[in-house]
Amino acid sequence: MKIAVVENENQKVSSIFEPGFIAIYEKDGGEWKVLNRFENEVCNAKGMAAVRTAVADTIKQLGDVKVIVASEIPGIASGTFQAAGFDIFLVEDSVLNVLDSIRKEMLEAIERLQKEPSKFDITQFLEPGVSRGDFSINIEDIMFKNPNMTSKKILIPYLKNGEFNRLDVICSHLPKWFVTDLGSMGFEYEIVNDLPNKKTVRVMRMQTQ
């Protein structure tokens, strides 16, 4: 298992917005080895668009790594990592003190997932719209029937992998992550129906010029 760590020159976990390095660690036998280490460019980014681009460039450099550790990854940076499928761990300690516990936590999470009886299938809840590629989904109904589900768990896998033109999401309130994360995932939204305790939010891919 490979783990990326945002660290300073003293190998202490640091913030994504502090000068330092991002290192990729992997356990080899009983020791953690550094596979790659490069300068953290995210700390130099000014403004949301620049941060999003800098994080995207960092993700490319990380290759197949999907775990990142830092003392702080706020706002749009966190959203961009999450949209790319990263597990984020926020800790403040020296790097070598935390790698074993994070690896253990990840392996336990993988084991729990393997034991789960069935994977949530969103397609059974999608209602086709008038036009080809248009769908609607009532996430309140889904969460009522599946109390362990959240709007993120329901929608993010489908937004990342599903093929659709427009997705009308019926909900009691606008999920906060629509505001903070949808843009970094390449989507925009508009509220097309706004009633007390019932909204219809239309999600579409951003138009590229």
Side-chain angles (χ1 to χ4, degrees), residues 78-79 82-83 120 122 139 143 149-160 175-178 180-182 185:
S78 175
Q82 288 178 36
F120 175 74
I122 194 173
I139 61 171
M143 289 190 287
M149 297 299 288
T150 64
S151 59
K152 272 191 170 184
K153 286 181 181 178
I154 294 165
L155 293 174
I156 283 183
Y158 183 67
L159 293 177
K160 286 163 71 172
K176 287 182 180 178
W177 63 273
F178 273 34
T180 56
D181 297 352
L182 271 186
M185 296 171 64

Side-chain angles (χ1 to χ4, degrees), residues 106-144:
M106 287 299 302
L107 291 173
E108 287 173 351
I110 291 167
E111 191 176 335
R112 282 196 302 272
L113 284 173
Q114 289 172 342
K115 287 179 179 176
E116 285 181 4
S118 60
K119 195 174 180 181
F120 175 74
D121 180 12
I122 194 173
T123 57
Q124 62 183 304
F125 298 101
L126 290 171
E127 297 289 339
V130 176
S131 302
R132 181 180 174 86
D134 290 356
F135 298 93
S136 66
I137 186 167
N138 190 322
I139 61 171
E140 298 298 322
D141 283 353
I142 296 172
M143 289 190 287
F144 180 76

Side-chain angles (χ1 to χ4, degrees), residues 3 13 67-73 87-91 101-103 105-106:
I3 299 174
V13 180
V67 181
I68 188 158
V69 182
S71 64
E72 180 188 39
I73 304 182
D87 287 296
I88 298 173
F89 289 85
L90 301 179
V91 295
S101 62
I102 288 169
R103 180 175 181 271
E105 192 171 330
M106 287 299 302

Side-chain angles (χ1 to χ4, degrees), residues 9-26:
E9 59 186 14
N10 299 317
Q11 266 195 315
K12 189 173 188 304
V13 180
S14 62
S15 167
I16 195 78
F17 288 121
E18 291 176 4
F21 305 91
I22 297 176
I24 300 172
Y25 290 85
E26 186 172 40

